[in-house]
Amino acid sequence: MRTNTHPRPSVVRWMPRQPVNLTFAITDANTPPGVAAVSTAHSPGPAATPAPLSAEEPGAATLARTAEQAARTVLALAAPHRLADVVPAPRQVQSNPTGDWTMPAEAVIVASPDPAALAVAEQLAALLRPATGYPLPVTDAATPAPVDGIALVLDDTAADLGAEGYRLDVTTNGVRVTAVTAAGLFHGVQTLRQLLPATIESPTPVTERWALPGGTITDVPRFPYRGAMLDVARHFFAVEDVLRVVDHLARYKLNHLHLHLTDDQGWRIAVDSWPKLTTVGGATAVGGGPGGFYTKADYTRIVSYAADRHITVVPEIDLPGHTNSALVAYPELAPDKIAPQPYTGTEVGFSYVDPADDRTYDFIADVLGELAAITPGPWLHVGGDEAFKVKGEVYTGFVERVQRIVAGLGKTVVGWHQLAPAAPVDGRVLQWWGTDGEDPTTVEAVRQGARLIVSPGNHAYLDMKYAPDTPIGHDWAGLIDVRKAYDWDPGTHVAGVPSTAVIGVEAPLWTESVTSLADIEFLLLPRLPAIAELGWSPRETHDWAGFRDRLAGHGPRWDAAGITFHRAPEIPWPSGPTIPAQRDPAREGVNPTQGP
């Protein structure tokens, strides 16, 4: 049973940067807290010509005019980021120092006349308008061209870019993003976003030179599956929190969100044919919190929001173990047909549905059938881990029957690698979460046709602590700092599994000790971009020294966006004015075992 052993994180939510109101000479020394001083540590460019001062102006007005002129000069001197300063690292970068482009206030976003391309254009405009204050109208054209603006071009002849790749060209005339699909355009937009100054993440207008470095990026992902998992069963998280996690995934070109929807502590998805799963089974959480669940409309909203950002939701119903919440609601599913007590602790392996009763498989068919009907993606995750009391042939027979149910629904089965001994079905995917790369059982399953998503507990589990003093998280798989999250190769990690059998990588976040969005962000960032780079970037680009320097530039972006993150000591975060932490008295002294 969990006790109150975890203090709250020492970091708290950073507030968004405020608009830069320049009323004095611009230096770090006299920049007030919460206001970003403008850096001059860049190569010079053409300076703006200020209007002349009048000798008759009063002192206050003269000071204001002087500060305004200084701001314009400093902003004009600021050079754009380097073209290669992107996370995940692009496949190919060709810089052109004479091709930089500065976005003017009258810039237009023009897209191919396809609804999906226009949707990406509107998303780009929505990203850029708050900080720039520019109107950025969106229009379409048969052959979009950047005329001092941004063009998003669908080109089905660019076969080398594949289903998710893109090419980004920056010239003095504007920016062009080319892709075969809207997903490729969307990923190109995320790169464009990173090439703008960090203040582009501000929710309110700021004074800035919105410049991009000249040249061309050609980019294609290494793996087709790049994801993260959020456990909403141990602690429940509101729809808005899940949508915020989707935004974090999209920012770094991840394309799958795995939702762990059921576990011993709570059942989080409505099933019409078994309503007590949520009304009874969804009423609890770790530590005795109030629980919660998603209606089908809630779930559909998450799926739709993710799809708009080219992210596929992978729902998980964990079977045959991790099912105490279901047994509380429907004791006929239990081996002894007696309802257990609701469980709010954190132990595993004690519960299971009756594998010998046909009623169990009716239940599974109903649950998976209703979930499949509202899940447009191809995957249904059936868990399969830590079913310690269902062993040998009983376990494999159960898994084989469940796999057939999934196949009959037209979906592809995904499960934790404990499914490996069961006979395969076409397309089966195993999610490997071990800590030792030697796994002959999984290797044999791969030999029989299984594919692999790699999620090693000692590298990719984002609920592991960064260091011994990390205030939340676990350490059963070891401590995972940013370097350990980055320094491994998904394609070769499991000995004996060829890289061709690995479809991708996923970073799970279990939530036994996680009770808020701030906790989620603290554990996700800055490690999530490390996993994203392993999934997207070519193996030959992986370099810790280069990654840590590129990642450091994202701290100011997260600050500007109001995102909580861990200031990992191994990352050289930029120096400069510090945005003061905002105290939240409501979070102080809260027992982390009392739910969200």
Side-chain angles (χ1 to χ4, degrees), residues 360-375:
T360 294
Y361 301 97
D362 293 338
F363 160 75
I364 294 170
D366 289 342
V367 169
L368 295 182
E370 290 193 31
L371 191 55
I374 56 175
T375 301

Side-chain angles (χ1 to χ4, degrees), residues 28 37-45 74-75 77-82 574-575:
D28 286 353
V38 182
S39 172
T40 60
H42 297 290
S43 303
V74 169
L75 293 172
L77 291 173
H81 295 284
R82 294 188 309 161
S575 59

Side-chain angles (χ1 to χ4, degrees), residues 103-105 124-136 196-197 199-210:
M103 180 167 53
L124 173 59
L127 287 172
L128 303 185
R129 284 170 183 152
T132 64
Y134 298 167
L136 293 168
L196 286 163
T199 47
I200 196 64
E201 304 296 337
S202 171
T204 54
V206 295
T207 304
E208 187 66 85
R209 176 179 178 245
W210 304 112

Side-chain angles (χ1 to χ4, degrees), residues 227-244:
M229 188 211 79
L230 178 63
D231 169 16
V232 296
R234 270 51 178 272
H235 281 102
F236 178 72
F237 297 92
V239 171
E240 289 73 17
D241 292 343
V242 179
L243 301 187
R244 174 110 162 171

Side-chain angles (χ1 to χ4, degrees), residues 14 26 96 131 140 231 254 339 374 380 408 419 423 438 489 491 505 550 562 570:
W14 295 99
I26 307 171
N96 178 8
D140 67 328
D231 169 16
L254 296 167
I374 56 175
L380 284 182
L419 266 60
E438 299 289 336
D489 180 11
V505 60
R550 284 181 285 113
E570 66 268 35

Side-chain angles (χ1 to χ4, degrees), residues 404-446:
R404 291 194 294 271
I405 291 172
V406 174
L409 294 168
K411 299 293 186 180
T412 298
V413 67
V414 187
W416 301 107
H417 71 267
Q418 282 75 19
L419 266 60
V425 292
D426 288 346
R428 180 172 70 156
V429 174
L430 303 179
Q431 185 168 0
W432 191 86
W433 59 279
T435 57
D436 179 354
E438 299 289 336
D439 187 348
T441 305
T442 295
V443 171
E444 176 58 23
V446 169

Side-chain angles (χ1 to χ4, degrees), residues 126-306:
L127 287 172
L128 303 185
R129 284 170 183 152
T132 64
Y134 298 167
L136 293 168
V138 172
T139 186
D140 67 328
T143 54
V147 181
D148 228 11
I150 302 170
L152 303 181
V153 184
L154 286 178
D155 182 358
D156 57 11
T157 68
D160 58 315
L161 298 177
E164 292 188 276
Y166 66 91
R167 185 172 60 252
L168 184 147
D169 297 292
V170 180
T171 70
T172 54
N173 294 325
V175 180
R176 182 195 303 270
V177 181
T178 305
V180 177
T181 67
L185 291 180
F186 184 83
H187 296 321
V189 160
Q190 303 313 309
T191 294
L192 185 159
R193 177 185 188 182
Q194 288 189 28
L195 293 174
L196 286 163
T199 47
I200 196 64
E201 304 296 337
S202 171
T204 54
V206 295
T207 304
E208 187 66 85
R209 176 179 178 245
W210 304 112
L212 286 94
T216 297
I217 289 176
T218 305
D219 211 2
V220 179
R222 180 185 184 190
F223 293 111
Y225 188 109
R226 308 173 307 281
M229 188 211 79
L230 178 63
D231 169 16
V232 296
R234 270 51 178 272
H235 281 102
F236 178 72
F237 297 92
V239 171
E240 289 73 17
D241 292 343
V242 179
L243 301 187
R244 174 110 162 171
V245 171
V246 169
D247 288 338
H248 295 327
L249 270 59
R251 183 187 291 263
Y252 295 105
K253 303 182 179 74
L254 296 167
N255 63 354
H256 288 82
L257 172 63
H258 171 184
L259 288 177
H260 184 76
L261 292 167
T262 66
D263 216 298
D264 292 313
Q265 300 85 354
W267 187 284
R268 307 303 183 202
I269 183 67
V271 180
D272 294 341
S273 54
W274 298 75
K276 289 194 291 183
L277 288 171
T278 47
T279 58
V280 176
T284 48
V286 166
F293 66 91
Y294 304 118
T295 65
K296 286 187 173 179
D298 291 334
Y299 178 78
T300 299
R301 180 183 170 199
I302 293 169
V303 168
S304 177
Y305 187 91

